[in-house]
Amino acid sequence: MNKKPFPSMLVLGSLAFAGVLTGIVLTFWVAPVEGSLGIVQKIFYFHVPSAISSYIGFGLCGIASIAYLLKPAKWADRLAQAGAELGVVFATCVLITGPLWGYKSWGTYWEWEPRLTSMLLTFLIYVSYLLLRQFGGEGEMARKVGAIMGVLGLVGIGIIRISVTLWGGVHPQVVTGKGGGIHPSMKPAFYTCFVAFMVLSAVLIWLRVRIAQQADEIESLHLLAGDVEYDLEKNQ
Amino acid sequence: MKRFLRQTAAILGKELRVELRTREILYTMIFFGLVIVVVFGFGLFEKRSAAQAAPGVLWTALLLAGTVSVNRTFEREREGSCMTGLMMVPGIAWSLFLGKAMANLLFLLITLAVVGPLVLFVFQYTTVPNVGGVALTLFLGALGYSILGTLVGGMLGQVRMKGILLPLVLFPMILPVFGIGVTATAALLTEGDAQSFEFLLDEVKEGDELRLELDDVVLEVTVKAGDEPGDVIAALSSKVTDAIDRERLRGVTFTRISNGVGFTLVSDPGKKLETNHSPQIICRGADLGSKGWGYLPVLAALDFLFGIVAIWLFGRLLDSA
């Protein structure tokens, strides 16, 4: 078991911290204020990387869940849970910043539009995953059920993407601008934020997995201590 | 009296303390509320009249009523402690899953057979267009629901707080099917009738060009200086009225909506509608009616996918349990 990952963790953590800080500076002081959207456009630098991080988290959860179902190993279970938590945290960011942006650019906070709807549904699936993990009890069975849920979530993401696009055809599909390209002057801020969020995600996942690992260790130490106590009492 | 108060306070304090430490009631309750809001948002959004709400109500009824049978799926086995015995039978997973899923499906269908006509009756449908299509849509929806429900019911069987967690886990998973189902049912129920379609435009400014494409008909209006949204509406609608004659559209109505001009296009099924405006807004899918049947293969494909995944997962569940 990896007992002392601290130097590397420190390095990665500082990197994430520095990255996020640089990202903030670049976003608010260096990148230009966009013409039609104004200051609200700054959301973009955090909104998009958050969305990517959330999908990375959900993807990790799904893949680790498959791994767990194929071969039940503790690490896979911990990774799945960490991924889901990361995804939910960043999806929350997306769902908060999205409407703020949307109100400015589309004139409405919420639209049952493919991308928005799929983010919301994916978010719901993984919140329910976390509730299941939190309140569904512990042990081999609960972990297995969690893994099944994780796989279902992964399948769910795919299904949501397909169906919501189809279903969204009936509702207005809002496409702003000619889409895609960002102005060169915005690129440094955006890419810095993007990299910073990736590193931050990695740090968070790592920390979360470590916490779970140590919780398990404490648990087993407790059991051990209980055994020792029992033996001592018996010998007296 | 004092004793009564003290006892009550003690009980209340204990309840709150337990909740503060576990947070299981509030978290699950709030999330359940959120899911229900999304269910109704999906089912009822942009439905103007009571009649248009019928599909949403019908599917919501299916969703909520379904939890009863799904919840009971493995309950008897658990109560009778015969789950372990069942799992010792070699190769039982398939039969166990299929048998349970088929039973759930049957219960759902019988419920729908009662509730479906009732919903149509309550929402005053005198004739039901595409009865076959609607029935097939509901069948496919119920099929997907029972497949997923059986898996979820089975996997939550051994889990704490099963009754509360079941809808929380099941509903978000089934929502895509639900969304397609509602849309398909709405389309099928209104086919042959007027379709409404609406979209928002940002505030119309001078010099803007509004462009509406309906198959081969293109309508263009340039906004002149001093034009009020009302004038733009009038200009567009007179042009569209011409088109109505040519294309035999059902009619177009324009209305003012907050934050700009909205317009409702009421057209025959099968018409494609597109408008260009800056910022560009592309709208698709005025052809609700003909799409109704188009959703059925998608539903069937989703059911199939659910089936494959569910059986695999169910097998894993029983594997070493």
Side-chain angles (χ1 to χ4, degrees), chain A residues 114-158:
Chain A
R115 243 177 309 168
L116 278 62
T117 312
S118 46
M119 196 36 145
L120 178 66
L121 292 187
T122 313
F123 170 77
L124 289 180
I125 287 182
Y126 283 93
V127 173
S128 73
Y129 171 89
L130 289 183
L131 286 174
L132 179 67
R133 296 310 305 265
Q134 183 70 36
F135 302 127
E138 276 156 20
E140 173 61 25
M141 197 62 201
R143 281 197 293 276
K144 185 171 258 185
V145 169
I148 289 179
M149 183 70 199
V151 177
L152 276 180
L154 198 64
V155 176
I157 292 182

mmCIF file of all heavy atoms in Angstrom, chain A residues 114-158:
data_model
loop_
_atom_site.group_PDB
_atom_site.id
_atom_site.type_symbol
_atom_site.label_atom_id
_atom_site.label_comp_id
_atom_site.label_asym_id
_atom_site.label_seq_id
_atom_site.Cartn_x
_atom_site.Cartn_y
_atom_site.Cartn_z
ATOM 1 N N PRO A 114 -30.837 19.772 -25.944
ATOM 2 C CA PRO A 114 -30.079 18.535 -25.778
ATOM 3 C C PRO A 114 -28.943 18.583 -24.766
ATOM 4 O O PRO A 114 -28.874 17.745 -23.869
ATOM 5 C CB PRO A 114 -29.548 18.276 -27.179
ATOM 6 C CG PRO A 114 -30.546 18.884 -28.072
ATOM 7 C CD PRO A 114 -31.113 20.054 -27.349
ATOM 8 N N ARG A 115 -28.068 19.577 -24.913
ATOM 9 C CA ARG A 115 -26.899 19.544 -24.056
ATOM 10 C C ARG A 115 -27.257 19.769 -22.589
ATOM 11 O O ARG A 115 -26.744 19.115 -21.696
ATOM 12 C CB ARG A 115 -25.890 20.593 -24.528
ATOM 13 C CG ARG A 115 -24.601 19.948 -24.993
ATOM 14 C CD ARG A 115 -23.665 20.998 -25.521
ATOM 15 N NE ARG A 115 -24.345 21.847 -26.511
ATOM 16 C CZ ARG A 115 -23.822 22.969 -26.956
ATOM 17 N NH1 ARG A 115 -22.664 23.387 -26.523
ATOM 18 N NH2 ARG A 115 -24.459 23.683 -27.865
ATOM 19 N N LEU A 116 -28.166 20.715 -22.364
ATOM 20 C CA LEU A 116 -28.569 21.025 -20.993
ATOM 21 C C LEU A 116 -29.277 19.839 -20.363
ATOM 22 O O LEU A 116 -28.991 19.437 -19.241
ATOM 23 C CB LEU A 116 -29.504 22.239 -20.975
ATOM 24 C CG LEU A 116 -28.868 23.623 -21.015
ATOM 25 C CD1 LEU A 116 -28.092 23.845 -22.287
ATOM 26 C CD2 LEU A 116 -29.927 24.691 -20.857
ATOM 27 N N THR A 117 -30.205 19.276 -21.143
ATOM 28 C CA THR A 117 -30.977 18.171 -20.608
ATOM 29 C C THR A 117 -30.083 16.984 -20.289
ATOM 30 O O THR A 117 -30.229 16.353 -19.239
ATOM 31 C CB THR A 117 -32.069 17.756 -21.613
ATOM 32 O OG1 THR A 117 -32.741 18.925 -22.048
ATOM 33 C CG2 THR A 117 -33.058 16.826 -20.971
ATOM 34 N N SER A 118 -29.134 16.710 -21.196
ATOM 35 C CA SER A 118 -28.308 15.530 -20.932
ATOM 36 C C SER A 118 -27.421 15.758 -19.710
ATOM 37 O O SER A 118 -27.191 14.830 -18.931
ATOM 38 C CB SER A 118 -27.487 15.117 -22.155
ATOM 39 O OG SER A 118 -26.876 16.211 -22.742
ATOM 40 N N MET A 119 -26.943 16.980 -19.518
ATOM 41 C CA MET A 119 -26.143 17.246 -18.327
ATOM 42 C C MET A 119 -26.982 17.043 -17.070
ATOM 43 O O MET A 119 -26.548 16.408 -16.112
ATOM 44 C CB MET A 119 -25.611 18.687 -18.384
ATOM 45 C CG MET A 119 -24.484 18.968 -17.416
ATOM 46 S SD MET A 119 -23.370 17.583 -17.208
ATOM 47 C CE MET A 119 -21.820 18.290 -17.001
ATOM 48 N N LEU A 120 -28.203 17.552 -17.105
ATOM 49 C CA LEU A 120 -29.066 17.434 -15.929
ATOM 50 C C LEU A 120 -29.351 15.965 -15.607
ATOM 51 O O LEU A 120 -29.241 15.534 -14.454
ATOM 52 C CB LEU A 120 -30.383 18.179 -16.176
ATOM 53 C CG LEU A 120 -31.386 18.092 -15.031
ATOM 54 C CD1 LEU A 120 -30.861 18.819 -13.806
ATOM 55 C CD2 LEU A 120 -32.731 18.667 -15.431
ATOM 56 N N LEU A 121 -29.682 15.189 -16.641
ATOM 57 C CA LEU A 121 -30.029 13.783 -16.404
ATOM 58 C C LEU A 121 -28.812 12.996 -15.916
ATOM 59 O O LEU A 121 -28.918 12.172 -15.006
ATOM 60 C CB LEU A 121 -30.583 13.147 -17.680
ATOM 61 C CG LEU A 121 -31.935 13.672 -18.142
ATOM 62 C CD1 LEU A 121 -32.454 12.843 -19.301
ATOM 63 C CD2 LEU A 121 -32.942 13.650 -17.015
ATOM 64 N N THR A 122 -27.662 13.275 -16.524
ATOM 65 C CA THR A 122 -26.447 12.592 -16.092
ATOM 66 C C THR A 122 -26.161 12.921 -14.632
ATOM 67 O O THR A 122 -25.834 12.040 -13.823
ATOM 68 C CB THR A 122 -25.264 13.026 -16.973
ATOM 69 O OG1 THR A 122 -25.670 12.954 -18.323
ATOM 70 C CG2 THR A 122 -24.071 12.155 -16.753
ATOM 71 N N PHE A 123 -26.297 14.192 -14.307
ATOM 72 C CA PHE A 123 -26.115 14.647 -12.929
ATOM 73 C C PHE A 123 -27.046 13.867 -11.995
ATOM 74 O O PHE A 123 -26.619 13.350 -10.957
ATOM 75 C CB PHE A 123 -26.410 16.153 -12.878
ATOM 76 C CG PHE A 123 -26.493 16.734 -11.510
ATOM 77 C CD1 PHE A 123 -25.354 16.987 -10.777
ATOM 78 C CD2 PHE A 123 -27.725 17.056 -10.954
ATOM 79 C CE1 PHE A 123 -25.435 17.548 -9.509
ATOM 80 C CE2 PHE A 123 -27.818 17.611 -9.697
ATOM 81 C CZ PHE A 123 -26.663 17.850 -8.969
ATOM 82 N N LEU A 124 -28.307 13.750 -12.374
ATOM 83 C CA LEU A 124 -29.275 13.049 -11.523
ATOM 84 C C LEU A 124 -28.858 11.598 -11.303
ATOM 85 O O LEU A 124 -28.935 11.073 -10.188
ATOM 86 C CB LEU A 124 -30.671 13.099 -12.148
ATOM 87 C CG LEU A 124 -31.384 14.451 -12.143
ATOM 88 C CD1 LEU A 124 -32.747 14.323 -12.789
ATOM 89 C CD2 LEU A 124 -31.524 14.984 -10.728
ATOM 90 N N ILE A 125 -28.418 10.944 -12.383
ATOM 91 C CA ILE A 125 -28.023 9.537 -12.274
ATOM 92 C C ILE A 125 -26.898 9.380 -11.257
ATOM 93 O O ILE A 125 -26.930 8.501 -10.394
ATOM 94 C CB ILE A 125 -27.592 8.982 -13.646
ATOM 95 C CG1 ILE A 125 -28.816 8.790 -14.520
ATOM 96 C CG2 ILE A 125 -26.841 7.667 -13.486
ATOM 97 C CD1 ILE A 125 -28.499 8.202 -15.873
ATOM 98 N N TYR A 126 -25.913 10.269 -11.339
ATOM 99 C CA TYR A 126 -24.772 10.092 -10.447
ATOM 100 C C TYR A 126 -25.042 10.586 -9.036
ATOM 101 O O TYR A 126 -24.430 10.079 -8.093
ATOM 102 C CB TYR A 126 -23.513 10.724 -11.055
ATOM 103 C CG TYR A 126 -22.978 9.823 -12.128
ATOM 104 C CD1 TYR A 126 -23.335 9.980 -13.443
ATOM 105 C CD2 TYR A 126 -22.191 8.733 -11.793
ATOM 106 C CE1 TYR A 126 -22.892 9.108 -14.419
ATOM 107 C CE2 TYR A 126 -21.738 7.863 -12.750
ATOM 108 C CZ TYR A 126 -22.091 8.057 -14.071
ATOM 109 O OH TYR A 126 -21.664 7.181 -15.014
ATOM 110 N N VAL A 127 -25.955 11.534 -8.879
ATOM 111 C CA VAL A 127 -26.361 11.869 -7.512
ATOM 112 C C VAL A 127 -27.044 10.655 -6.888
ATOM 113 O O VAL A 127 -26.800 10.308 -5.733
ATOM 114 C CB VAL A 127 -27.288 13.101 -7.474
ATOM 115 C CG1 VAL A 127 -27.817 13.314 -6.072
ATOM 116 C CG2 VAL A 127 -26.541 14.333 -7.916
ATOM 117 N N SER A 128 -27.872 9.986 -7.677
ATOM 118 C CA SER A 128 -28.538 8.803 -7.128
ATOM 119 C C SER A 128 -27.516 7.712 -6.833
ATOM 120 O O SER A 128 -27.654 6.969 -5.850
ATOM 121 C CB SER A 128 -29.645 8.301 -8.053
ATOM 122 O OG SER A 128 -29.114 7.692 -9.192
ATOM 123 N N TYR A 129 -26.465 7.636 -7.649
ATOM 124 C CA TYR A 129 -25.370 6.691 -7.360
ATOM 125 C C TYR A 129 -24.757 7.007 -6.000
ATOM 126 O O TYR A 129 -24.555 6.122 -5.161
ATOM 127 C CB TYR A 129 -24.301 6.793 -8.461
ATOM 128 C CG TYR A 129 -23.021 6.030 -8.166
ATOM 129 C CD1 TYR A 129 -22.892 4.700 -8.534
ATOM 130 C CD2 TYR A 129 -21.956 6.637 -7.516
ATOM 131 C CE1 TYR A 129 -21.728 4.003 -8.269
ATOM 132 C CE2 TYR A 129 -20.789 5.952 -7.238
ATOM 133 C CZ TYR A 129 -20.674 4.638 -7.612
ATOM 134 O OH TYR A 129 -19.524 3.946 -7.340
ATOM 135 N N LEU A 130 -24.485 8.300 -5.773
ATOM 136 C CA LEU A 130 -23.846 8.684 -4.510
ATOM 137 C C LEU A 130 -24.774 8.435 -3.326
ATOM 138 O O LEU A 130 -24.326 7.987 -2.261
ATOM 139 C CB LEU A 130 -23.437 10.161 -4.547
ATOM 140 C CG LEU A 130 -22.262 10.480 -5.464
ATOM 141 C CD1 LEU A 130 -21.905 11.949 -5.367
ATOM 142 C CD2 LEU A 130 -21.057 9.624 -5.120
ATOM 143 N N LEU A 131 -26.067 8.716 -3.513
ATOM 144 C CA LEU A 131 -27.024 8.446 -2.428
ATOM 145 C C LEU A 131 -27.041 6.965 -2.100
ATOM 146 O O LEU A 131 -27.071 6.559 -0.940
ATOM 147 C CB LEU A 131 -28.427 8.913 -2.829
ATOM 148 C CG LEU A 131 -28.662 10.415 -2.834
ATOM 149 C CD1 LEU A 131 -30.042 10.734 -3.380
ATOM 150 C CD2 LEU A 131 -28.519 10.985 -1.432
ATOM 151 N N LEU A 132 -27.010 6.158 -3.183
ATOM 152 C CA LEU A 132 -26.996 4.710 -2.994
ATOM 153 C C LEU A 132 -25.754 4.284 -2.214
ATOM 154 O O LEU A 132 -25.835 3.468 -1.280
ATOM 155 C CB LEU A 132 -27.033 4.028 -4.360
ATOM 156 C CG LEU A 132 -26.993 2.510 -4.393
ATOM 157 C CD1 LEU A 132 -28.263 1.958 -3.786
ATOM 158 C CD2 LEU A 132 -26.857 2.016 -5.816
ATOM 159 N N ARG A 133 -24.616 4.849 -2.592
ATOM 160 C CA ARG A 133 -23.377 4.490 -1.903
ATOM 161 C C ARG A 133 -23.402 4.969 -0.451
ATOM 162 O O ARG A 133 -22.907 4.305 0.452
ATOM 163 C CB ARG A 133 -22.150 5.097 -2.606
ATOM 164 C CG ARG A 133 -21.910 4.595 -4.007
ATOM 165 C CD ARG A 133 -21.917 3.098 -4.144
ATOM 166 N NE ARG A 133 -21.000 2.403 -3.264
ATOM 167 C CZ ARG A 133 -19.778 2.023 -3.602
ATOM 168 N NH1 ARG A 133 -19.326 2.281 -4.802
ATOM 169 N NH2 ARG A 133 -19.028 1.378 -2.746
ATOM 170 N N GLN A 134 -23.972 6.148 -0.266
ATOM 171 C CA GLN A 134 -23.959 6.740 1.068
ATOM 172 C C GLN A 134 -24.899 6.008 2.024
ATOM 173 O O GLN A 134 -24.534 5.714 3.154
ATOM 174 C CB GLN A 134 -24.364 8.208 0.952
ATOM 175 C CG GLN A 134 -24.319 8.978 2.242
ATOM 176 C CD GLN A 134 -22.885 9.195 2.706
ATOM 177 O OE1 GLN A 134 -21.992 9.398 1.900
ATOM 178 N NE2 GLN A 134 -22.668 9.135 4.004
ATOM 179 N N PHE A 135 -26.084 5.728 1.544
ATOM 180 C CA PHE A 135 -27.126 5.226 2.450
ATOM 181 C C PHE A 135 -27.449 3.754 2.241
ATOM 182 O O PHE A 135 -28.258 3.198 2.958
ATOM 183 C CB PHE A 135 -28.399 6.059 2.297
ATOM 184 C CG PHE A 135 -28.177 7.513 2.579
ATOM 185 C CD1 PHE A 135 -28.554 8.482 1.663
ATOM 186 C CD2 PHE A 135 -27.572 7.907 3.758
ATOM 187 C CE1 PHE A 135 -28.336 9.821 1.922
ATOM 188 C CE2 PHE A 135 -27.349 9.252 4.027
ATOM 189 C CZ PHE A 135 -27.736 10.207 3.108
ATOM 190 N N GLY A 136 -26.861 3.148 1.239
ATOM 191 C CA GLY A 136 -27.214 1.772 0.916
ATOM 192 C C GLY A 136 -26.503 0.736 1.775
ATOM 193 O O GLY A 136 -26.620 -0.456 1.524
ATOM 194 N N GLY A 137 -25.764 1.191 2.766
ATOM 195 C CA GLY A 137 -25.071 0.252 3.626
ATOM 196 C C GLY A 137 -23.694 -0.071 3.094
ATOM 197 O O GLY A 137 -23.252 0.474 2.084
ATOM 198 N N GLU A 138 -23.002 -0.979 3.798
ATOM 199 C CA GLU A 138 -21.637 -1.312 3.409
ATOM 200 C C GLU A 138 -21.504 -2.807 3.154
ATOM 201 O O GLU A 138 -22.432 -3.557 3.337
ATOM 202 C CB GLU A 138 -20.668 -0.890 4.525
ATOM 203 C CG GLU A 138 -20.285 0.581 4.400
ATOM 204 C CD GLU A 138 -19.835 1.163 5.709
ATOM 205 O OE1 GLU A 138 -19.460 0.386 6.607
ATOM 206 O OE2 GLU A 138 -19.883 2.394 5.837
ATOM 207 N N GLY A 139 -20.329 -3.161 2.731
ATOM 208 C CA GLY A 139 -20.075 -4.572 2.503
ATOM 209 C C GLY A 139 -20.018 -4.920 1.040
ATOM 210 O O GLY A 139 -20.246 -4.081 0.165
ATOM 211 N N GLU A 140 -19.706 -6.177 0.798
ATOM 212 C CA GLU A 140 -19.489 -6.691 -0.544
ATOM 213 C C GLU A 140 -20.701 -6.435 -1.447
ATOM 214 O O GLU A 140 -20.582 -5.977 -2.570
ATOM 215 C CB GLU A 140 -19.181 -8.186 -0.433
ATOM 216 C CG GLU A 140 -19.087 -8.942 -1.726
ATOM 217 C CD GLU A 140 -17.980 -8.431 -2.633
ATOM 218 O OE1 GLU A 140 -17.016 -7.845 -2.112
ATOM 219 O OE2 GLU A 140 -18.108 -8.593 -3.859
ATOM 220 N N MET A 141 -21.886 -6.705 -0.907
ATOM 221 C CA MET A 141 -23.102 -6.576 -1.708
ATOM 222 C C MET A 141 -23.340 -5.120 -2.119
ATOM 223 O O MET A 141 -23.642 -4.835 -3.277
ATOM 224 C CB MET A 141 -24.290 -7.094 -0.896
ATOM 225 C CG MET A 141 -25.496 -7.396 -1.732
ATOM 226 S SD MET A 141 -25.121 -8.703 -2.922
ATOM 227 C CE MET A 141 -26.410 -8.411 -4.114
ATOM 228 N N ALA A 142 -23.168 -4.205 -1.149
ATOM 229 C CA ALA A 142 -23.395 -2.787 -1.448
ATOM 230 C C ALA A 142 -22.405 -2.300 -2.498
ATOM 231 O O ALA A 142 -22.760 -1.528 -3.387
ATOM 232 C CB ALA A 142 -23.274 -1.958 -0.175
ATOM 233 N N ARG A 143 -21.151 -2.785 -2.404
ATOM 234 C CA ARG A 143 -20.155 -2.380 -3.390
ATOM 235 C C ARG A 143 -20.537 -2.892 -4.773
ATOM 236 O O ARG A 143 -20.413 -2.197 -5.777
ATOM 237 C CB ARG A 143 -18.770 -2.901 -2.994
ATOM 238 C CG ARG A 143 -18.101 -2.069 -1.914
ATOM 239 C CD ARG A 143 -16.625 -2.360 -1.852
ATOM 240 N NE ARG A 143 -16.360 -3.712 -1.394
ATOM 241 C CZ ARG A 143 -16.303 -4.066 -0.105
ATOM 242 N NH1 ARG A 143 -16.491 -3.161 0.823
ATOM 243 N NH2 ARG A 143 -16.062 -5.307 0.245
ATOM 244 N N LYS A 144 -21.021 -4.128 -4.795
ATOM 245 C CA LYS A 144 -21.410 -4.708 -6.073
ATOM 246 C C LYS A 144 -22.594 -3.964 -6.673
ATOM 247 O O LYS A 144 -22.611 -3.646 -7.869
ATOM 248 C CB LYS A 144 -21.769 -6.184 -5.862
ATOM 249 C CG LYS A 144 -22.061 -6.898 -7.144
ATOM 250 C CD LYS A 144 -22.198 -8.363 -6.921
ATOM 251 C CE LYS A 144 -20.955 -9.095 -7.338
ATOM 252 N NZ LYS A 144 -21.083 -10.535 -7.250
ATOM 253 N N VAL A 145 -23.551 -3.649 -5.816
ATOM 254 C CA VAL A 145 -24.709 -2.880 -6.287
ATOM 255 C C VAL A 145 -24.257 -1.515 -6.800
ATOM 256 O O VAL A 145 -24.714 -1.038 -7.846
ATOM 257 C CB VAL A 145 -25.743 -2.730 -5.147
ATOM 258 C CG1 VAL A 145 -26.806 -1.724 -5.513
ATOM 259 C CG2 VAL A 145 -26.367 -4.070 -4.831
ATOM 260 N N GLY A 146 -23.311 -0.903 -6.077
ATOM 261 C CA GLY A 146 -22.770 0.373 -6.526
ATOM 262 C C GLY A 146 -22.132 0.244 -7.899
ATOM 263 O O GLY A 146 -22.333 1.083 -8.774
ATOM 264 N N ALA A 147 -21.387 -0.831 -8.098
ATOM 265 C CA ALA A 147 -20.724 -1.032 -9.386
ATOM 266 C C ALA A 147 -21.754 -1.207 -10.499
ATOM 267 O O ALA A 147 -21.589 -0.672 -11.604
ATOM 268 C CB ALA A 147 -19.806 -2.244 -9.317
ATOM 269 N N ILE A 148 -22.820 -1.938 -10.206
ATOM 270 C CA ILE A 148 -23.880 -2.116 -11.206
ATOM 271 C C ILE A 148 -24.469 -0.767 -11.574
ATOM 272 O O ILE A 148 -24.664 -0.437 -12.743
ATOM 273 C CB ILE A 148 -24.963 -3.072 -10.672
ATOM 274 C CG1 ILE A 148 -24.397 -4.483 -10.615
ATOM 275 C CG2 ILE A 148 -26.203 -3.026 -11.531
ATOM 276 C CD1 ILE A 148 -25.349 -5.505 -10.083
ATOM 277 N N MET A 149 -24.713 0.027 -10.554
ATOM 278 C CA MET A 149 -25.244 1.367 -10.774
ATOM 279 C C MET A 149 -24.265 2.202 -11.611
ATOM 280 O O MET A 149 -24.682 2.963 -12.485
ATOM 281 C CB MET A 149 -25.495 2.003 -9.410
ATOM 282 C CG MET A 149 -26.106 3.365 -9.453
ATOM 283 S SD MET A 149 -27.797 3.315 -10.014
ATOM 284 C CE MET A 149 -27.990 5.028 -10.495
ATOM 285 N N GLY A 150 -22.967 2.044 -11.321
ATOM 286 C CA GLY A 150 -21.967 2.791 -12.086
ATOM 287 C C GLY A 150 -22.000 2.424 -13.555
ATOM 288 O O GLY A 150 -21.932 3.295 -14.423
ATOM 289 N N VAL A 151 -22.128 1.130 -13.844
ATOM 290 C CA VAL A 151 -22.215 0.694 -15.241
ATOM 291 C C VAL A 151 -23.495 1.226 -15.879
ATOM 292 O O VAL A 151 -23.493 1.729 -17.005
ATOM 293 C CB VAL A 151 -22.166 -0.844 -15.337
ATOM 294 C CG1 VAL A 151 -22.329 -1.279 -16.775
ATOM 295 C CG2 VAL A 151 -20.860 -1.371 -14.773
ATOM 296 N N LEU A 152 -24.586 1.133 -15.140
ATOM 297 C CA LEU A 152 -25.861 1.656 -15.653
ATOM 298 C C LEU A 152 -25.727 3.138 -15.972
ATOM 299 O O LEU A 152 -26.264 3.625 -16.969
ATOM 300 C CB LEU A 152 -26.967 1.461 -14.619
ATOM 301 C CG LEU A 152 -27.657 0.100 -14.590
ATOM 302 C CD1 LEU A 152 -28.719 0.080 -13.509
ATOM 303 C CD2 LEU A 152 -28.281 -0.214 -15.934
ATOM 304 N N GLY A 153 -24.994 3.845 -15.106
ATOM 305 C CA GLY A 153 -24.796 5.268 -15.331
ATOM 306 C C GLY A 153 -24.071 5.527 -16.637
ATOM 307 O O GLY A 153 -24.457 6.397 -17.419
ATOM 308 N N LEU A 154 -23.046 4.714 -16.886
ATOM 309 C CA LEU A 154 -22.276 4.864 -18.121
ATOM 310 C C LEU A 154 -23.165 4.613 -19.337
ATOM 311 O O LEU A 154 -23.156 5.366 -20.308
ATOM 312 C CB LEU A 154 -21.091 3.896 -18.108
ATOM 313 C CG LEU A 154 -19.961 4.196 -19.085
ATOM 314 C CD1 LEU A 154 -19.305 5.512 -18.735
ATOM 315 C CD2 LEU A 154 -18.940 3.080 -19.080
ATOM 316 N N VAL A 155 -23.953 3.525 -19.262
ATOM 317 C CA VAL A 155 -24.906 3.236 -20.337
ATOM 318 C C VAL A 155 -25.894 4.395 -20.447
ATOM 319 O O VAL A 155 -26.248 4.838 -21.546
ATOM 320 C CB VAL A 155 -25.658 1.924 -20.044
ATOM 321 C CG1 VAL A 155 -26.713 1.673 -21.095
ATOM 322 C CG2 VAL A 155 -24.695 0.762 -19.994
ATOM 323 N N GLY A 156 -26.289 4.896 -19.289
ATOM 324 C CA GLY A 156 -27.239 6.003 -19.245
ATOM 325 C C GLY A 156 -26.735 7.222 -19.983
ATOM 326 O O GLY A 156 -27.480 7.849 -20.736
ATOM 327 N N ILE A 157 -25.436 7.530 -19.796
ATOM 328 C CA ILE A 157 -24.883 8.701 -20.485
ATOM 329 C C ILE A 157 -25.069 8.551 -21.986
ATOM 330 O O ILE A 157 -25.537 9.456 -22.667
ATOM 331 C CB ILE A 157 -23.379 8.881 -20.165
ATOM 332 C CG1 ILE A 157 -23.205 9.267 -18.700
ATOM 333 C CG2 ILE A 157 -22.770 9.960 -21.047
ATOM 334 C CD1 ILE A 157 -21.754 9.497 -18.317
ATOM 335 N N GLY A 158 -24.716 7.351 -22.488
ATOM 336 C CA GLY A 158 -24.870 7.105 -23.923
ATOM 337 C C GLY A 158 -26.306 7.261 -24.366
ATOM 338 O O GLY A 158 -26.606 7.966 -25.339
#
